[in-house]
Amino acid sequence: MNKALRKAVIAGNWKMNKTPSEAKALLNEIAPLVKDADCEVVACVPYVDLTTAVEAVKGTNIKIGAENAHWEEKGAFTGEISTGMLKEVGAEYVVLGHSERRQYFGETDETVNKRTKAVLKAGLKPIVCVGELLWERECNITEEVIARQIKLDFFDVTAEDMKNVVIAYEPVWAIGTGKTATADQAEEVCAFIRATLAKLYSQDVADGVTIQYGGSMNDANAAELLSKENVDGGLIGGASLVAEKFAAIVKAASV
Ligand code: PEP
């Protein structure tokens, strides 16, 4: 299977931005700009925006995602949100293991693995983020770090379930910093992720997984990054909050 046969996914990660009314306004702005997209268009929004966002994108080609999910179905987990809650409000995707969660909120590969399995079990699609720190890249252990994350985050995830998984390669040093990995650096690691999946599963499974690049992707650099064989889409933070910029990235993925 080659790149052309994989589903390109352009997903916005809004982080802790936009109130429900602001979310509605932004989605109303984005919708007409991406209506002819030849890729999957997703907006991952704060929990409190989900209901409004799902309503706002009705009749459009935009899908809505959450930014995290707990692995238990219910219980004494104050402040957490279950996959059942996300399903009921109409979310389809869930970002998991984002570096901000790993850095600031104690997320580990073990909890990412639990969340990934719960999200898949609920019939939602996880966008699982992996990526190395700058220090790890400088120490030449990028591949070791990524291989470890892939092995742990997908431990016990079946080949069948991998059909619903999106992986986002997000070098931590490129997130929100304005520093983008070069297209060659992004391709190198995305190809490495695919090779790791091929060893863990099979070449067929690996060839079917959508692998995004994320890290200061914008309207100016998207086309070059997305032209690479193993870069199947993008997870976009800052630029996803500006309708024209996000739409330009969607357009770059649609050629
Ligand atoms: C992200 O939050 O996943 C991200 C890639 O952010 P940014 O595009 O702002 O670097």
Side-chain angles (χ1 to χ4, degrees), residues 57-97:
V57 301
K58 271 194 185 140
T60 78
N61 55 339
I62 303 174
K63 308 274 168 56
I64 297 299
E67 298 178 15
N68 202 2
H70 198 264
W71 56 87
E72 293 291 346
E73 283 170 21
K74 59 176 138 175
F77 301 101
T78 304
E80 290 294 323
I81 298 286
S82 74
T83 55
M85 295 169 185
L86 297 179
K87 279 270 308 183
E88 192 169 317
V89 295
E92 293 181 55
Y93 284 83
V94 186
V95 176
L96 295 175

Side-chain angles (χ1 to χ4, degrees), residues 113 116 120 150-151 153-163 165 167 193-207 209:
N113 177 247
T116 302
L120 286 163
I150 295 289
K151 282 180 193 161
D153 295 353
F154 295 105
F155 177 72
D156 229 6
V157 173
T158 65
E160 191 56 29
D161 273 342
M162 287 306 289
K163 290 180 185 159
V165 163
I167 297 176
I193 291 172
R194 205 174 302 287
T196 304
L197 293 173
K199 275 193 209 148
L200 291 174
Y201 294 92
S202 67
Q203 193 61 51
D204 261 13
V205 169
D207 283 344
V209 175

Side-chain angles (χ1 to χ4, degrees), residues 6-239:
R6 279 190 292 271
K7 185 92 175 162
V9 181
I10 298 294
N13 173 24
W14 288 12
K15 312 193 188 198
M16 196 174 72
N17 292 294
K18 304 293 174 189
T19 65
S21 60
E22 290 168 346
K24 184 177 176 185
L26 179 55
L27 288 165
N28 286 343
E29 230 187 306
I30 292 172
L33 304 178
V34 301
K35 69 176 173 24
D36 299 322
D38 189 18
C39 64
E40 185 95 324
V41 183
V42 185
C44 297
V45 306
Y47 291 135
V48 294
D49 294 352
L50 283 169
T51 303
T52 309
V54 167
E55 190 58 35
V57 301
K58 271 194 185 140
T60 78
N61 55 339
I62 303 174
K63 308 274 168 56
I64 297 299
E67 298 178 15
N68 202 2
H70 198 264
W71 56 87
E72 293 291 346
E73 283 170 21
K74 59 176 138 175
F77 301 101
T78 304
E80 290 294 323
I81 298 286
S82 74
T83 55
M85 295 169 185
L86 297 179
K87 279 270 308 183
E88 192 169 317
V89 295
E92 293 181 55
Y93 284 83
V94 186
V95 176
L96 295 175
H98 192 278
S99 65
E100 286 150 17
R101 304 268 356 142
R102 293 179 191 258
Q103 245 179 311
Y104 308 135
F105 302 103
E107 191 78 69
T108 65
D109 288 309
E110 189 182 1
T111 54
V112 174
N113 177 247
K114 286 181 174 182
R115 293 182 205 278
T116 302
K117 286 189 285 196
V119 161
L120 286 163
K121 190 171 167 216
L124 295 159
K125 293 179 182 164
I127 300 176
V128 179
C129 305
V130 297
E132 80 286 2
L133 305 171
L134 182 57
W135 167 240
E136 292 166 335
R137 177 165 280 266
E138 286 170 351
C139 292
N140 278 323
I141 60 163
T142 298
E143 291 193 351
E144 278 147 82
V145 171
I146 300 290
R148 181 186 157 88
Q149 289 175 334
I150 295 289
K151 282 180 193 161
L152 297 178
D153 295 353
F154 295 105
F155 177 72
D156 229 6
V157 173
T158 65
E160 191 56 29
D161 273 342
M162 287 306 289
K163 290 180 185 159
N164 292 315
V165 163
V166 174
I167 297 176
Y169 166 54
E170 299 213 310
V172 179
W173 47 271
I175 297 177
T177 58
K179 276 190 209 160
T180 316
T182 64
D184 286 341
Q185 284 172 325
E187 168 63 13
E188 194 179 10
V189 181
C190 289
F192 176 75
I193 291 172
R194 205 174 302 287
T196 304
L197 293 173
K199 275 193 209 148
L200 291 174
Y201 294 92
S202 67
Q203 193 61 51
D204 261 13
V205 169
D207 283 344
V209 175
T210 293
I211 303 177
Q212 302 172 315
Y213 167 77
S216 301
M217 190 188 264
N218 58 40
D219 45 331
N221 59 30
E224 195 189 352
L225 286 158
L226 293 165
S227 71
K228 293 293 179 183
E229 176 65 26
N230 287 286
V231 180
D232 305 316
L235 183 59
I236 297 113

